[in-house]
């Protein structure tokens, strides 16, 4: 397996951006996401659907999103609230079921003054492959369709589709409704996300210097730096080298 693209992240006290580069040595690239509503947050990278192309995972103050690494589309979103200090989303398999989960921390206080939009403005809707993927039982052109909130998952609202969304009818889009303080774990409703390791041992996590039992192998080599905060399929650790 080979991939000529890599994901670049830039972070500061008041902004975050992620871009896709055509090669590790090419500084030009397409912006996947940029926000001025963040502090020193970070992002994670993981190939959720095991197609050889990594997705970018980032949580700002109001939503946690998974971005398609090819075009920046928000393919997953969940409402939450964070004052965005130094955190980022952890991707691991904490229950050991062979499918990755996202571990998300949220602040114990949140703003209720309308600071966060009620509906995620860039989330196109809950994606689907078949009717069985949708609460409503209706999948059209890759999105779950709905006529009211009861036909959407609990943390989503039935709303108008974004301009350019294929198909017809309203879709289930992520809503920001209240706060859930503490740690939450998100998974695919049918556990179809790729397998991952059961360990993510530190803030500067990378796959090459920690064993599954927590044993530290050594310091980061120069060539390993692309793997910092990048999740990896558990089988890939055993069978193939890490490729960005």
């Amino acid at each position: 397996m080979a991939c000529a693209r890599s994901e670049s992240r830039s972070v500061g006290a008041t902004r975050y951006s992620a871009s896709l580069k055509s090669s590790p040595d090419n500084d030009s690239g397409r912006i996947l996401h940029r926000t001025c509503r963040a502090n020193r947050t970070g992002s994670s990278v993981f190939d959720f659907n095991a197609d050889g192309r990594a997705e970018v995972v980032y949580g700002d103050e109001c939503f946690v999103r998974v971005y398609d690494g090819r075009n920046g589309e928000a393919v997953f979103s969940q409402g939450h609230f964070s004052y965005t200090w130094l955190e980022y989303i952890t991707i691991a398999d904490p229950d050991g079921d062979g499918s990755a989960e996202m571990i998300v921390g949220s602040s114990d206080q949140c703003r209720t003054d309308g600071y966060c939009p009620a509906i995620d403005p860039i989330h196109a809707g809950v994606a689907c492959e078949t009717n069985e993927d949708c609460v409503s039982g209706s999948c059209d052109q890759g999105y779950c369709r709905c006529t009211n909130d009861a036909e959407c998952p609990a943390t989503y609202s039935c709303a108008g589709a974004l301009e350019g969304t294929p198909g017809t009818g309203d879709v289930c889009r992520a809503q920001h409704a209240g706060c859930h303080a503490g740690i939450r774990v998100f998974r695919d409703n049918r556990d179809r996300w790729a397998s991952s390791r059961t360990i993510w041992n530190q803030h500067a996590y990378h796959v090459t210097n920690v064993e599954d039992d927590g044993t530290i192998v050594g310091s980061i080599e120069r060539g390993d730096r692309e793997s910092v905060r990048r999740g990896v399929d558990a089988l890939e650790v055993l069978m193939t080298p890490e490729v960005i």
Side-chain angles (χ1 to χ4, degrees), residues 9-17 38-42 58 229:
R9 292 152 282 177
S10 174
V11 68
T14 58
R15 57 100 181 100
Y16 167 91
S17 66
N39 207 298
R40 295 177 178 86
T41 46
Y58 178 70
R229 295 204 300 267

Side-chain angles (χ1 to χ4, degrees), residues 166-230:
T168 58
D170 291 343
V171 294
C172 298
R173 293 171 58 190
Q175 63 175 334
H176 193 277
C179 292
H180 302 275
I183 303 297
R184 288 191 294 169
V185 178
F186 296 106
R187 66 176 179 88
D188 177 70
N189 63 350
R190 291 166 60 187
D191 279 334
R192 291 166 295 183
W193 287 349
S195 62
S196 182
R197 305 180 73 188
T198 57
I199 187 170
W200 189 295
N201 66 310
Q202 62 181 10
H203 189 275
Y205 169 80
H206 61 105
V207 301
T208 56
N209 84 319
V210 61
E211 302 287 0
D212 288 341
D213 63 0
T215 302
I216 302 301
V217 176
S219 59
I220 301 176
E221 298 294 335
R222 183 176 183 85
D224 291 338
R225 291 175 183 172
E226 286 286 354
S227 67
V228 173
R229 295 204 300 267
R230 182 176 192 262

